[in-house]
Structure formats: C-alpha cells, structure tokens
C-alpha cells in the first residue's frame, strides 16, 4: 500500500448579500462568503488538500478566478473534478479531517450534513470524514467576523 498525505487551507471574506455555503450546505445567516465561485471555504480547503496529496498544486491553478466557466461554480462540483484527478492517479481517500474557523453562526447543527455531502464526493463512509469547528475567540479576522477559514488534512491510499 502506498500512502500520500495532503494539507489545505482557505480563507474567504464575509460580506452581506451573499449566501453562506459550507461543505455544500446552505446555512441561513446574515452574511455569506465572497468569491468567484460559491466561496465554499470548506470544499476549497479539502480540494487543496487532495491536490497537495497528488502533487497537483492548488485550486487556483486548476480553477482560475479569471476563467468565466467557474463564475458562481458550486464548489462540491469543483471537488468532484479534483476527485476525478485523484482517482485517475489510482488513489482513493483513506480519511479527511477538517477544521472550520468561524465566529458565527453556530455550525454544530450543520456538521453532520456537511460530513455526508463531503463523504459522498470523496466516496468514503461518513465516519471517514471529520468536521470540527472553532471560533476565533473574538480575535483576528475570524473573531471580528470579517472572514472564515478552513483547514483540511487528507490521507490517500493506493494498493
Ligand atoms: Mg477559496
């Protein structure tokens, strides 16, 4: 068995007039994340972790902001494109562990749905995807509710 590990981080600015979408779940909130796509910071961090594990750079290279094809793109779809690359290299996902940094809203009610969404795209059991959330303790850009950040670590396996 061959193993590869990957890490991903993403940050997006919080603004009024945008939907808040995290891990493919639309969360009712007064602000949303700003970006060229749906700005799903969770899917972006996970996509970067997968690309890192197969040595394929980052999502900025694969889905440039300048490309109109990705305007308003659903990030679970981008994650599917990345997963196709992973599978083309002969790898499958062992597990993924994610942390979301957000001051508000409370994410606990949505974590299970995010986990199921991501597990479906990664083609693993939901127990192989773990989602954690933390606040910024009112400090920094997270704490001031200026933005959200997500971090992901993923393990890939090949027979
Ligand atoms: Mg992003």
């Amino acid at each position: 068995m061959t193993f590869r590990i990957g890490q991903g981080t993403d940050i997006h600015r919080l603004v009024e007039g945008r939907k808040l979408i995290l891990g493919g779940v639309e969360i009712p909130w007064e602000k949303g994340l700003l970006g060229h796509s749906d700005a799903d910071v969770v899917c972006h961090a996970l996509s970067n972790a997968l690309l890192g594990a197969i040595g394929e750079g980052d999502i900025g290279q694969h889905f440039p902001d300048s490309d109109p094809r990705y305007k308003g793109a659903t990030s679970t779809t981008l994650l599917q494109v990345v997963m196709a690359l992973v599978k083309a290299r002969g790898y499958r996902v062992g597990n993924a562990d994610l942390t979301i940094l957000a001051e508000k809203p409370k994410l606990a009610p949505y974590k299970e749905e995010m986990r199921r969404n991501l597990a479906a795209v990664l083609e693993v059991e939901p127990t192989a995807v773990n989602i954690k959330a933390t606040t910024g303790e009112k400090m920094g850009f997270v704490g001031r509710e200026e933005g959200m950040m997500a971090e992901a670590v993923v393990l890939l396996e090949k027979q």
Side-chain angles (χ1 to χ4, degrees):
M1 189 92 89
T2 307
F3 297 100
R4 299 295 293 263
I5 191 168
Q7 184 274 343
T9 301
D10 195 38
I11 294 171
H12 280 269
R13 187 181 291 273
L14 265 174
V15 295
E16 284 172 13
R18 289 270 301 183
K19 285 180 182 173
L20 178 60
I21 296 169
L22 295 174
V25 180
E26 189 175 331
I27 295 171
W29 187 236
E30 61 204 32
K31 291 180 181 176
L33 296 171
L34 182 64
H36 186 65
S37 65
D38 62 8
D40 185 335
V41 74
V42 177
C43 284
H44 292 185
L46 184 54
S47 297
N48 270 330
L50 290 167
L51 289 172
I54 58 169
E56 269 288 344
D58 60 38
I59 55 170
Q61 279 169 246
H62 290 266
F63 311 106
D65 277 5
S66 54
D67 191 330
R69 277 184 300 170
Y70 305 120
K71 186 164 169 37
T74 302
S75 296
T76 46
T77 305
L78 304 184
L79 187 59
Q80 278 167 357
V81 174
V82 171
M83 261 311 288
L85 278 177
V86 168
K87 289 195 285 182
R89 301 289 166 85
Y91 286 96
R92 61 178 185 170
V93 173
N95 73 301
D97 188 21
L98 296 106
T99 303
I100 306 168
L101 292 92
E103 198 67 21
K104 288 177 187 169
K106 283 254 177 288
L107 299 179
Y110 309 103
K111 278 162 46 176
E112 201 53 42
E113 191 179 349
M114 288 185 216
R115 178 190 220 184
R116 283 199 306 270
N117 282 349
L118 299 177
V121 180
L122 299 184
E123 299 178 19
V124 294
E125 293 297 315
T127 52
V129 177
N130 189 70
I131 297 177
K132 306 182 294 297
T134 184
T135 70
E137 294 280 343
K138 297 188 165 56
M139 298 180 291
F141 73 89
V142 171
R144 291 190 297 268
E145 300 174 48
E146 293 168 1
M148 291 184 181
M149 176 167 156
E151 294 182 311
V153 178
V154 67
L155 183 73
L156 301 184
E157 307 167 344
K158 178 152 71 174
Q159 284 293 346

